[in-house]
Amino acid sequence: MNKPAIAVTGLGMITPVGNDTESTWNGVCAGVSPARTVAELEGCEIDFACVVDGIDLDAAIGGRAAFRMGRYVKFAVLAAREAVADAGLDPARWDGGRVAVVVGTSSGGSASLTEQAVVLERSGAGATSPSGILLTIPNMPAAEIAIQMKATGPSLAPCTACSSGATALSVARDLLATGQCDIAIAGATESIVYPVAMAGFARSGAGARKEGDPALLCRPFAADRAGLVMGEGAAVMVLERADDADARGAAPRALLAGTGATTDAHHPIRPHPSGAVARAAVEAALRDAGWAAEDVEHVNAHGTATPANDATEAALIARVYPHRPPVTAPKGVLGHCMGAAGAIEAGLTILTLQRGVVPPIANLDAPAPGFDIDCVTKQPLHRTVRRAVSHSFGFGGHNAVLALQRP
């Protein structure tokens, strides 16, 4: 059976450089990280991060519903609203039974869980929030979006660590391809900038240590890369079968042409040094899309700025794409938005396809010696891109790759 073409017709984002898609794109293209010291992290070994600023989340959500939502849920709801509006859809007019919601996260509301544990210890059970469970469980972004959008089709919450966003888009594509829905609202969200999480990343050795200006610390693919910088945010997309979008006169932003997923089964944190299993995910996505490797004109890399990840991924890129397509790594600007990263970076890849611009990698002059890849540095690269891939490689060895193309 031939699979239907799947179109991305709507896009919404909220990130450390912007509270919507356009401002996020402009911030990423500027190539400057907003990482800063965070007051709530005072006394932590890692006391800095890239955080969402300049928005009153409760006011933006509106009504009493905001009080039952964790920060990560609010991000998802706001991104979903933007995506649905961008797609030209009105939830009051659609058949909610044919609308699916697939929104991933890595840690869910672990920040809220920690806060409630402190309240319990200090003041007793009676002082904890009546919404304590709703503030923490990882299905709530999908659930709250479904409630707001009156979407009564399948509602799922994938968790594959740092690849959760890419996994969510892949699952949504499959729901559409198999006829289980006509519209899918899909993406991911994350907010874990709180002391327990930051202590964990410091202890794991994955987090960068503070040495001077926090905005200069995340250096993907650099010789002196020193570890990840935490970020937060969300990206949500509307996916439809391309024929359905065409029938209602919607112009797709991009097509989700292929997906691939594998698991390293090697180590909870470190990627397999051979990169062979991650490479299999890339090759699966290309095969699914019907592309040869040389068809890829841009790579949006996972690029965490950790020593092991960047070395493995650089070697993978050089082997799979010997024609050296331009590579970017948005975490240099945004920090590592964890479960949301794959969705945010897929959204940025879509904008590259639409606008013919590849954003630069922040804080990078040139890739490390031995990294035979064509990194975009200093300034955005203006180039027509028709086919691109977005890599997501998560803790636990979860690998998810998306192949995206211009309509």
Side-chain angles (χ1 to χ4, degrees):
M1 182 179 69
N2 291 330
K3 292 180 295 186
I6 303 302
V8 179
T9 56
L11 176 59
M13 293 190 193
I14 179 168
T15 72
V17 293
N19 297 324
D20 56 24
T21 296
E22 193 64 25
S23 56
T24 292
W25 174 250
N26 291 337
V28 171
C29 286
V32 178
S33 171
R36 60 171 176 80
T37 300
V38 178
E40 291 79 6
L41 300 178
E42 183 179 359
C44 295
E45 186 175 354
I46 297 176
D47 64 356
F48 55 91
C50 298
V51 296
V52 171
D53 276 326
I55 183 171
D56 183 331
L57 293 172
D58 288 349
I61 293 293
R64 294 182 58 82
F67 295 100
R68 69 183 186 226
M69 296 183 191
R71 184 174 173 86
Y72 73 115
V73 179
K74 294 170 187 174
F75 289 164
V77 168
L78 294 175
R81 288 179 183 173
E82 183 187 6
V84 170
D86 183 51
L89 292 167
D90 180 356
R93 299 169 62 90
W94 65 28
D95 177 359
R98 299 297 299 165
V99 180
V101 180
V102 188
V103 179
T105 184
S106 176
S107 299
S110 57
S112 295
L113 179 62
T114 302
E115 290 169 2
Q116 291 301 302
V118 171
V119 172
L120 177 66
E121 177 69 20
R122 290 178 176 174
S123 305
T128 61
S129 171
S131 298
I133 293 298
L134 300 181
L135 291 169
T136 62
I137 53 179
N139 68 302
M140 290 315 297
E144 289 287 3
I145 290 169
I147 291 167
Q148 294 231 340
M149 303 295 178
K150 305 301 180 186
T152 57
S155 180
L156 304 169
C159 177
T160 54
C162 315
S163 62
S164 295
T167 299
L169 292 166
S170 178
V171 170
R173 196 279 297 259
D174 290 346
L175 292 175
L176 286 161
T178 56
Q180 296 182 64
C181 64
D182 296 326
I183 296 168
I185 302 168
T189 186
E190 198 82 88
S191 179
I192 55 170
V193 179
Y194 69 105
V196 171
M198 303 308 286
F201 280 101
R203 294 285 291 166
S204 74
R209 298 303 199 272
K210 190 168 184 179
E211 298 173 355
D213 185 351
L216 304 178
L217 294 181
C218 188
R219 302 183 287 269
F221 298 114
D224 63 348
R225 62 195 183 280
L228 65 83
V229 171
M230 187 63 70
E232 64 176 1
V236 174
M237 287 157 231
V238 173
L239 279 64
E240 306 173 63
R241 288 180 288 273
D243 287 348
D244 293 346
D246 183 65
R248 70 177 184 88
R253 283 182 174 268
L255 300 178
L256 179 50
T259 67
T262 60
T263 308
D264 279 358
H266 169 67
H267 190 274
I269 296 176
R270 294 192 297 271
H272 195 291
S274 75
V277 183
R279 177 175 178 171
V282 174
E283 292 171 342
L286 298 180
R287 188 165 55 249
D288 191 30
W291 300 354
E294 56 267 25
D295 292 329
V296 174
E297 297 173 325
H298 166 53
V299 177
N300 190 304
H302 188 59
T304 61
T306 55
N309 176 87
D310 284 12
T312 301
E313 188 175 16
L316 182 158
I317 291 170
R319 286 195 299 267
V320 175
Y321 315 106
H323 57 296
R324 295 172 56 87
V327 175
T328 195
K331 293 179 182 69
V333 171
L334 300 173
H336 196 330
C337 297
M338 307 310 290
I344 292 170
E345 290 163 17
L348 295 171
T349 305
I350 288 167
L351 293 170
T352 286
L353 292 167
Q354 284 192 290
R355 303 185 180 190
V357 178
V358 180
I361 301 175
N363 303 320
L364 180 68
D365 294 322
F371 287 7
D372 187 20
I373 58 176
D374 185 13
C375 291
V376 178
T377 64
K378 305 296 187 182
Q379 299 293 328
L381 173 67
H382 293 263
R383 176 181 295 182
T384 298
V385 177
R386 291 158 297 210
R387 298 180 184 88
V389 294
S390 182
H391 294 172
S392 294
F393 306 133
F395 279 2
H398 299 285
N399 306 310
V401 178
L402 305 175
L404 294 148
Q405 71 180 53
R406 292 177 65 183

